[in-house]
mmCIF file of all heavy atoms in Angstrom:
data_model
loop_
_atom_site.group_PDB
_atom_site.id
_atom_site.type_symbol
_atom_site.label_atom_id
_atom_site.label_comp_id
_atom_site.label_asym_id
_atom_site.label_seq_id
_atom_site.Cartn_x
_atom_site.Cartn_y
_atom_site.Cartn_z
ATOM 1 N N PRO A 97 -18.656 1.026 29.999
ATOM 2 C CA PRO A 97 -17.630 0.035 29.659
ATOM 3 C C PRO A 97 -16.406 0.213 30.548
ATOM 4 O O PRO A 97 -16.057 1.336 30.937
ATOM 5 C CB PRO A 97 -17.297 0.355 28.196
ATOM 6 C CG PRO A 97 -17.636 1.811 28.047
ATOM 7 C CD PRO A 97 -18.812 2.051 28.949
ATOM 8 N N LEU A 98 -15.753 -0.888 30.884
ATOM 9 C CA LEU A 98 -14.528 -0.792 31.661
ATOM 10 C C LEU A 98 -13.455 -0.088 30.844
ATOM 11 O O LEU A 98 -13.398 -0.211 29.617
ATOM 12 C CB LEU A 98 -14.033 -2.181 32.081
ATOM 13 C CG LEU A 98 -14.975 -3.005 32.953
ATOM 14 C CD1 LEU A 98 -14.239 -4.240 33.484
ATOM 15 C CD2 LEU A 98 -15.555 -2.197 34.097
ATOM 16 N N LEU A 99 -12.600 0.647 31.522
ATOM 17 C CA LEU A 99 -11.540 1.377 30.827
ATOM 18 C C LEU A 99 -10.564 0.380 30.202
ATOM 19 O O LEU A 99 -10.136 -0.574 30.854
ATOM 20 C CB LEU A 99 -10.827 2.309 31.801
ATOM 21 C CG LEU A 99 -11.741 3.400 32.378
ATOM 22 C CD1 LEU A 99 -11.041 4.160 33.491
ATOM 23 C CD2 LEU A 99 -12.209 4.360 31.295
ATOM 24 N N PRO A 100 -10.211 0.578 28.937
ATOM 25 C CA PRO A 100 -9.535 -0.482 28.183
ATOM 26 C C PRO A 100 -8.033 -0.596 28.389
ATOM 27 O O PRO A 100 -7.451 -1.632 28.056
ATOM 28 C CB PRO A 100 -9.834 -0.094 26.735
ATOM 29 C CG PRO A 100 -9.937 1.405 26.759
ATOM 30 C CD PRO A 100 -10.580 1.726 28.085
ATOM 31 N N GLN A 101 -7.364 0.435 28.917
ATOM 32 C CA GLN A 101 -5.904 0.417 28.899
ATOM 33 C C GLN A 101 -5.312 -0.772 29.644
ATOM 34 O O GLN A 101 -4.327 -1.360 29.196
ATOM 35 C CB GLN A 101 -5.342 1.725 29.484
ATOM 36 C CG GLN A 101 -5.643 2.963 28.650
ATOM 37 C CD GLN A 101 -6.862 3.703 29.152
ATOM 38 O OE1 GLN A 101 -7.876 3.084 29.491
ATOM 39 N NE2 GLN A 101 -6.784 5.024 29.219
ATOM 40 N N GLY A 102 -5.889 -1.133 30.784
ATOM 41 C CA GLY A 102 -5.357 -2.248 31.548
ATOM 42 C C GLY A 102 -5.959 -3.569 31.146
ATOM 43 O O GLY A 102 -5.277 -4.483 30.683
ATOM 44 N N ILE A 103 -7.278 -3.682 31.294
ATOM 45 C CA ILE A 103 -7.955 -4.961 31.098
ATOM 46 C C ILE A 103 -7.977 -5.386 29.633
ATOM 47 O O ILE A 103 -7.985 -6.575 29.317
ATOM 48 C CB ILE A 103 -9.394 -4.878 31.664
ATOM 49 C CG1 ILE A 103 -9.884 -6.254 32.115
ATOM 50 C CG2 ILE A 103 -10.350 -4.224 30.701
ATOM 51 C CD1 ILE A 103 -9.378 -6.675 33.450
ATOM 52 N N GLY A 104 -7.958 -4.405 28.713
ATOM 53 C CA GLY A 104 -8.079 -4.743 27.303
ATOM 54 C C GLY A 104 -6.811 -4.604 26.494
ATOM 55 O O GLY A 104 -6.759 -5.063 25.346
ATOM 56 N N MET A 105 -5.764 -3.982 27.069
ATOM 57 C CA MET A 105 -4.575 -3.713 26.268
ATOM 58 C C MET A 105 -3.310 -4.282 26.911
ATOM 59 O O MET A 105 -2.786 -5.298 26.486
ATOM 60 C CB MET A 105 -4.471 -2.204 26.020
ATOM 61 C CG MET A 105 -5.634 -1.675 25.176
ATOM 62 S SD MET A 105 -5.823 0.125 25.158
ATOM 63 C CE MET A 105 -4.312 0.626 24.367
ATOM 64 N N VAL A 106 -2.791 -3.626 27.961
ATOM 65 C CA VAL A 106 -1.515 -4.082 28.513
ATOM 66 C C VAL A 106 -1.659 -5.427 29.218
ATOM 67 O O VAL A 106 -0.731 -6.235 29.218
ATOM 68 C CB VAL A 106 -0.912 -3.009 29.455
ATOM 69 C CG1 VAL A 106 -1.670 -2.900 30.769
ATOM 70 C CG2 VAL A 106 0.564 -3.305 29.731
ATOM 71 N N GLY A 107 -2.833 -5.704 29.803
ATOM 72 C CA GLY A 107 -3.037 -7.009 30.424
ATOM 73 C C GLY A 107 -2.917 -8.149 29.417
ATOM 74 O O GLY A 107 -2.106 -9.074 29.607
ATOM 75 N N PRO A 108 -3.695 -8.137 28.333
ATOM 76 C CA PRO A 108 -3.542 -9.186 27.315
ATOM 77 C C PRO A 108 -2.145 -9.239 26.710
ATOM 78 O O PRO A 108 -1.654 -10.323 26.380
ATOM 79 C CB PRO A 108 -4.587 -8.802 26.262
ATOM 80 C CG PRO A 108 -5.638 -8.066 27.032
ATOM 81 C CD PRO A 108 -4.883 -7.296 28.070
ATOM 82 N N LEU A 109 -1.496 -8.083 26.573
ATOM 83 C CA LEU A 109 -0.125 -8.079 26.048
ATOM 84 C C LEU A 109 0.798 -8.870 26.965
ATOM 85 O O LEU A 109 1.589 -9.708 26.498
ATOM 86 C CB LEU A 109 0.381 -6.641 25.910
ATOM 87 C CG LEU A 109 1.853 -6.508 25.509
ATOM 88 C CD1 LEU A 109 2.040 -6.826 24.031
ATOM 89 C CD2 LEU A 109 2.398 -5.120 25.839
ATOM 90 N N LEU A 110 0.721 -8.614 28.267
ATOM 91 C CA LEU A 110 1.585 -9.320 29.206
ATOM 92 C C LEU A 110 1.254 -10.810 29.261
ATOM 93 O O LEU A 110 2.153 -11.650 29.409
ATOM 94 C CB LEU A 110 1.471 -8.697 30.597
ATOM 95 C CG LEU A 110 2.018 -7.273 30.732
ATOM 96 C CD1 LEU A 110 1.767 -6.731 32.130
ATOM 97 C CD2 LEU A 110 3.497 -7.219 30.390
ATOM 98 N N ILE A 111 -0.024 -11.152 29.147
ATOM 99 C CA ILE A 111 -0.401 -12.563 29.103
ATOM 100 C C ILE A 111 0.259 -13.247 27.906
ATOM 101 O O ILE A 111 0.745 -14.372 27.995
ATOM 102 C CB ILE A 111 -1.935 -12.699 29.038
ATOM 103 C CG1 ILE A 111 -2.553 -12.300 30.382
ATOM 104 C CG2 ILE A 111 -2.346 -14.124 28.669
ATOM 105 C CD1 ILE A 111 -4.060 -12.194 30.369
ATOM 106 N N ASP A 112 0.315 -12.527 26.785
ATOM 107 C CA ASP A 112 0.874 -13.109 25.557
ATOM 108 C C ASP A 112 2.400 -13.185 25.590
ATOM 109 O O ASP A 112 2.977 -14.232 25.272
ATOM 110 C CB ASP A 112 0.448 -12.285 24.336
ATOM 111 C CG ASP A 112 -1.032 -12.441 24.015
ATOM 112 O OD1 ASP A 112 -1.676 -13.346 24.578
ATOM 113 O OD2 ASP A 112 -1.543 -11.641 23.205
ATOM 114 N N ILE A 113 3.069 -12.076 25.965
ATOM 115 C CA ILE A 113 4.520 -12.022 25.778
ATOM 116 C C ILE A 113 5.287 -11.497 26.978
ATOM 117 O O ILE A 113 6.512 -11.335 26.907
ATOM 118 C CB ILE A 113 4.892 -11.185 24.529
ATOM 119 C CG1 ILE A 113 4.446 -9.724 24.691
ATOM 120 C CG2 ILE A 113 4.286 -11.774 23.260
ATOM 121 C CD1 ILE A 113 4.926 -8.824 23.543
ATOM 122 N N GLY A 114 4.630 -11.213 28.080
ATOM 123 C CA GLY A 114 5.338 -10.738 29.262
ATOM 124 C C GLY A 114 6.117 -11.857 29.939
ATOM 125 O O GLY A 114 5.848 -13.044 29.744
ATOM 126 N N THR A 115 7.080 -11.481 30.751
ATOM 127 C CA THR A 115 7.812 -12.486 31.515
ATOM 128 C C THR A 115 6.939 -12.988 32.665
ATOM 129 O O THR A 115 5.933 -12.357 33.039
ATOM 130 C CB THR A 115 9.100 -11.892 32.097
ATOM 131 O OG1 THR A 115 8.757 -10.878 33.065
ATOM 132 C CG2 THR A 115 9.966 -11.282 31.006
ATOM 133 N N ASP A 116 7.320 -14.118 33.255
ATOM 134 C CA ASP A 116 6.570 -14.637 34.393
ATOM 135 C C ASP A 116 6.561 -13.632 35.536
ATOM 136 O O ASP A 116 5.548 -13.480 36.240
ATOM 137 C CB ASP A 116 7.172 -15.961 34.865
ATOM 138 C CG ASP A 116 6.943 -17.098 33.871
ATOM 139 O OD1 ASP A 116 6.041 -16.968 33.023
ATOM 140 O OD2 ASP A 116 7.686 -18.104 33.936
ATOM 141 N N GLU A 117 7.682 -12.961 35.728
ATOM 142 C CA GLU A 117 7.770 -11.957 36.796
ATOM 143 C C GLU A 117 6.813 -10.792 36.526
ATOM 144 O O GLU A 117 6.139 -10.305 37.452
ATOM 145 C CB GLU A 117 9.199 -11.438 36.917
ATOM 146 C CG GLU A 117 10.214 -12.456 37.443
ATOM 147 C CD GLU A 117 10.641 -13.479 36.397
ATOM 148 O OE1 GLU A 117 10.331 -13.268 35.198
ATOM 149 O OE2 GLU A 117 11.281 -14.482 36.771
ATOM 150 N N GLN A 118 6.733 -10.338 35.272
ATOM 151 C CA GLN A 118 5.837 -9.242 34.927
ATOM 152 C C GLN A 118 4.376 -9.642 35.086
ATOM 153 O O GLN A 118 3.554 -8.867 35.589
ATOM 154 C CB GLN A 118 6.124 -8.761 33.502
ATOM 155 C CG GLN A 118 7.440 -8.026 33.368
ATOM 156 C CD GLN A 118 7.841 -7.786 31.919
ATOM 157 O OE1 GLN A 118 7.359 -8.455 31.003
ATOM 158 N NE2 GLN A 118 8.745 -6.831 31.697
ATOM 159 N N LYS A 119 4.039 -10.855 34.689
ATOM 160 C CA LYS A 119 2.666 -11.332 34.859
ATOM 161 C C LYS A 119 2.291 -11.368 36.332
ATOM 162 O O LYS A 119 1.204 -10.913 36.729
ATOM 163 C CB LYS A 119 2.512 -12.714 34.237
ATOM 164 C CG LYS A 119 2.645 -12.749 32.722
ATOM 165 C CD LYS A 119 2.611 -14.173 32.202
ATOM 166 C CE LYS A 119 2.889 -14.227 30.716
ATOM 167 N NZ LYS A 119 2.922 -15.615 30.187
ATOM 168 N N ALA A 120 3.171 -11.923 37.160
ATOM 169 C CA ALA A 120 2.882 -12.032 38.587
ATOM 170 C C ALA A 120 2.775 -10.660 39.242
ATOM 171 O O ALA A 120 1.977 -10.455 40.162
ATOM 172 C CB ALA A 120 3.968 -12.864 39.276
ATOM 173 N N LYS A 121 3.562 -9.707 38.767
ATOM 174 C CA LYS A 121 3.604 -8.382 39.380
ATOM 175 C C LYS A 121 2.413 -7.513 38.980
ATOM 176 O O LYS A 121 1.849 -6.802 39.815
ATOM 177 C CB LYS A 121 4.907 -7.683 38.984
ATOM 178 C CG LYS A 121 5.072 -6.291 39.568
ATOM 179 C CD LYS A 121 6.434 -5.710 39.193
ATOM 180 C CE LYS A 121 6.630 -4.316 39.801
ATOM 181 N NZ LYS A 121 7.968 -3.761 39.478
ATOM 182 N N TYR A 122 2.011 -7.575 37.706
ATOM 183 C CA TYR A 122 1.062 -6.596 37.191
ATOM 184 C C TYR A 122 -0.351 -7.113 36.969
ATOM 185 O O TYR A 122 -1.316 -6.356 37.120
ATOM 186 C CB TYR A 122 1.585 -6.015 35.874
ATOM 187 C CG TYR A 122 2.884 -5.259 36.011
ATOM 188 C CD1 TYR A 122 4.023 -5.667 35.322
ATOM 189 C CD2 TYR A 122 2.976 -4.131 36.825
ATOM 190 C CE1 TYR A 122 5.220 -4.977 35.447
ATOM 191 C CE2 TYR A 122 4.174 -3.434 36.949
ATOM 192 C CZ TYR A 122 5.293 -3.863 36.255
ATOM 193 O OH TYR A 122 6.471 -3.181 36.383
ATOM 194 N N LEU A 123 -0.517 -8.367 36.580
ATOM 195 C CA LEU A 123 -1.851 -8.842 36.201
ATOM 196 C C LEU A 123 -2.865 -8.797 37.350
ATOM 197 O O LEU A 123 -4.021 -8.418 37.125
ATOM 198 C CB LEU A 123 -1.765 -10.250 35.613
ATOM 199 C CG LEU A 123 -1.083 -10.369 34.245
ATOM 200 C CD1 LEU A 123 -1.090 -11.825 33.776
ATOM 201 C CD2 LEU A 123 -1.753 -9.480 33.206
ATOM 202 N N PRO A 124 -2.496 -9.181 38.589
ATOM 203 C CA PRO A 124 -3.500 -9.128 39.659
ATOM 204 C C PRO A 124 -4.079 -7.731 39.878
ATOM 205 O O PRO A 124 -5.298 -7.585 40.065
ATOM 206 C CB PRO A 124 -2.722 -9.619 40.891
ATOM 207 C CG PRO A 124 -1.649 -10.500 40.323
ATOM 208 C CD PRO A 124 -1.237 -9.825 39.051
ATOM 209 N N GLY A 125 -3.231 -6.703 39.862
ATOM 210 C CA GLY A 125 -3.723 -5.341 40.073
ATOM 211 C C GLY A 125 -4.618 -4.863 38.950
ATOM 212 O O GLY A 125 -5.575 -4.108 39.173
ATOM 213 N N ILE A 126 -4.316 -5.284 37.710
ATOM 214 C CA ILE A 126 -5.169 -4.940 36.572
ATOM 215 C C ILE A 126 -6.529 -5.611 36.720
ATOM 216 O O ILE A 126 -7.582 -4.983 36.556
ATOM 217 C CB ILE A 126 -4.495 -5.365 35.251
ATOM 218 C CG1 ILE A 126 -3.215 -4.560 35.016
ATOM 219 C CG2 ILE A 126 -5.460 -5.193 34.077
ATOM 220 C CD1 ILE A 126 -2.401 -5.042 33.820
ATOM 221 N N LEU A 127 -6.512 -6.899 37.031
ATOM 222 C CA LEU A 127 -7.752 -7.663 37.136
ATOM 223 C C LEU A 127 -8.651 -7.142 38.251
ATOM 224 O O LEU A 127 -9.871 -7.015 38.077
ATOM 225 C CB LEU A 127 -7.420 -9.139 37.370
ATOM 226 C CG LEU A 127 -8.594 -10.112 37.382
ATOM 227 C CD1 LEU A 127 -9.229 -10.215 36.001
ATOM 228 C CD2 LEU A 127 -8.136 -11.494 37.852
ATOM 229 N N LYS A 128 -8.070 -6.822 39.392
ATOM 230 C CA LYS A 128 -8.858 -6.382 40.547
ATOM 231 C C LYS A 128 -9.354 -4.943 40.430
ATOM 232 O O LYS A 128 -10.211 -4.522 41.210
ATOM 233 C CB LYS A 128 -8.013 -6.511 41.821
ATOM 234 C CG LYS A 128 -7.638 -7.936 42.180
ATOM 235 C CD LYS A 128 -6.718 -7.954 43.395
ATOM 236 C CE LYS A 128 -6.265 -9.357 43.740
ATOM 237 N NZ LYS A 128 -5.335 -9.376 44.905
ATOM 238 N N GLY A 129 -8.808 -4.181 39.496
ATOM 239 C CA GLY A 129 -9.165 -2.769 39.410
ATOM 240 C C GLY A 129 -8.428 -1.921 40.421
ATOM 241 O O GLY A 129 -8.841 -0.799 40.732
ATOM 242 N N GLU A 130 -7.311 -2.440 40.946
ATOM 243 C CA GLU A 130 -6.499 -1.676 41.897
ATOM 244 C C GLU A 130 -5.540 -0.733 41.183
ATOM 245 O O GLU A 130 -5.163 0.308 41.735
ATOM 246 C CB GLU A 130 -5.704 -2.636 42.780
ATOM 247 C CG GLU A 130 -6.568 -3.485 43.683
ATOM 248 C CD GLU A 130 -5.769 -4.522 44.463
ATOM 249 O OE1 GLU A 130 -4.573 -4.733 44.138
ATOM 250 O OE2 GLU A 130 -6.337 -5.125 45.392
ATOM 251 N N ASP A 131 -5.123 -1.101 39.985
ATOM 252 C CA ASP A 131 -4.187 -0.285 39.213
ATOM 253 C C ASP A 131 -4.880 0.232 37.966
ATOM 254 O O ASP A 131 -5.680 -0.471 37.330
ATOM 255 C CB ASP A 131 -2.966 -1.104 38.785
ATOM 256 C CG ASP A 131 -2.110 -1.528 39.963
ATOM 257 O OD1 ASP A 131 -2.081 -0.785 40.967
ATOM 258 O OD2 ASP A 131 -1.483 -2.607 39.887
ATOM 259 N N PHE A 132 -4.561 1.468 37.594
ATOM 260 C CA PHE A 132 -5.043 2.007 36.330
ATOM 261 C C PHE A 132 -3.845 2.479 35.512
ATOM 262 O O PHE A 132 -3.005 3.225 36.001
ATOM 263 C CB PHE A 132 -6.011 3.168 36.527
ATOM 264 C CG PHE A 132 -6.438 3.765 35.213
ATOM 265 C CD1 PHE A 132 -7.244 3.036 34.347
ATOM 266 C CD2 PHE A 132 -6.003 5.014 34.831
ATOM 267 C CE1 PHE A 132 -7.603 3.559 33.114
ATOM 268 C CE2 PHE A 132 -6.359 5.546 33.603
ATOM 269 C CZ PHE A 132 -7.163 4.811 32.743
ATOM 270 N N TRP A 133 -3.784 2.030 34.275
ATOM 271 C CA TRP A 133 -2.656 2.297 33.396
ATOM 272 C C TRP A 133 -2.982 3.377 32.375
ATOM 273 O O TRP A 133 -4.027 3.333 31.718
ATOM 274 C CB TRP A 133 -2.266 1.019 32.649
ATOM 275 C CG TRP A 133 -1.677 -0.045 33.520
ATOM 276 C CD1 TRP A 133 -2.332 -0.845 34.403
ATOM 277 C CD2 TRP A 133 -0.293 -0.408 33.596
ATOM 278 N NE1 TRP A 133 -1.450 -1.691 35.024
ATOM 279 C CE2 TRP A 133 -0.191 -1.459 34.542
ATOM 280 C CE3 TRP A 133 0.863 0.028 32.938
ATOM 281 C CZ2 TRP A 133 1.021 -2.064 34.854
ATOM 282 C CZ3 TRP A 133 2.062 -0.577 33.246
ATOM 283 C CH2 TRP A 133 2.141 -1.599 34.204
ATOM 284 N N ALA A 134 -2.073 4.331 32.214
ATOM 285 C CA ALA A 134 -2.145 5.286 31.122
ATOM 286 C C ALA A 134 -1.300 4.769 29.958
ATOM 287 O O ALA A 134 -0.347 4.010 30.157
ATOM 288 C CB ALA A 134 -1.629 6.652 31.568
ATOM 289 N N GLN A 135 -1.654 5.186 28.750
ATOM 290 C CA GLN A 135 -0.952 4.762 27.543
ATOM 291 C C GLN A 135 -0.092 5.914 27.025
ATOM 292 O O GLN A 135 -0.613 6.910 26.522
ATOM 293 C CB GLN A 135 -1.954 4.332 26.468
ATOM 294 C CG GLN A 135 -1.309 3.837 25.182
ATOM 295 C CD GLN A 135 -2.340 3.531 24.103
ATOM 296 O OE1 GLN A 135 -3.375 4.190 24.015
ATOM 297 N NE2 GLN A 135 -2.073 2.541 23.275
ATOM 298 N N GLY A 136 1.219 5.790 27.162
ATOM 299 C CA GLY A 136 2.138 6.853 26.751
ATOM 300 C C GLY A 136 2.668 6.629 25.343
ATOM 301 O O GLY A 136 3.799 6.137 25.192
ATOM 302 N N TYR A 137 1.885 6.978 24.352
ATOM 303 C CA TYR A 137 2.281 6.789 22.955
ATOM 304 C C TYR A 137 2.493 8.132 22.248
ATOM 305 O O TYR A 137 3.605 8.523 21.934
ATOM 306 C CB TYR A 137 1.214 5.982 22.202
ATOM 307 C CG TYR A 137 1.305 4.491 22.337
ATOM 308 C CD1 TYR A 137 2.022 3.876 23.364
ATOM 309 C CD2 TYR A 137 0.636 3.658 21.443
ATOM 310 C CE1 TYR A 137 2.087 2.494 23.482
ATOM 311 C CE2 TYR A 137 0.699 2.277 21.553
ATOM 312 C CZ TYR A 137 1.421 1.704 22.573
ATOM 313 O OH TYR A 137 1.482 0.329 22.678
ATOM 314 N N SER A 138 1.400 8.844 21.971
ATOM 315 C CA SER A 138 1.465 10.044 21.138
ATOM 316 C C SER A 138 2.341 11.127 21.751
ATOM 317 O O SER A 138 2.441 11.261 22.978
ATOM 318 C CB SER A 138 0.060 10.609 20.912
ATOM 319 O OG SER A 138 -0.725 9.714 20.162
#
C-alpha cells in the first residue's frame, strides 16, 4: 500500500481547507511521490 501520510492525510486536508498557495506548493509533490511527509503528533 502507498504510504498514507501524504496521499491519504495531508493531501486531502489541503484539498479541503488549504489555501490556494498551499495547494499549488504541496499537492504536486505529494501526488508525484517526490515528497514524503512525516506526521508530528505524539
Side-chain angles (χ1 to χ4, degrees):
L98 299 190
L99 297 171
Q101 294 96 317
I103 208 80
M105 295 166 64
V106 72
L109 174 75
L110 293 176
I111 289 171
D112 289 348
I113 63 174
T115 65
D116 290 341
E117 291 77 12
Q118 289 169 340
K119 293 175 186 177
K121 180 176 181 178
Y122 297 119
L123 291 181
I126 295 173
L127 185 67
K128 295 176 183 178
E130 294 175 348
D131 293 330
F132 177 68
W133 292 74
Q135 182 185 33
Y137 276 19
S138 295

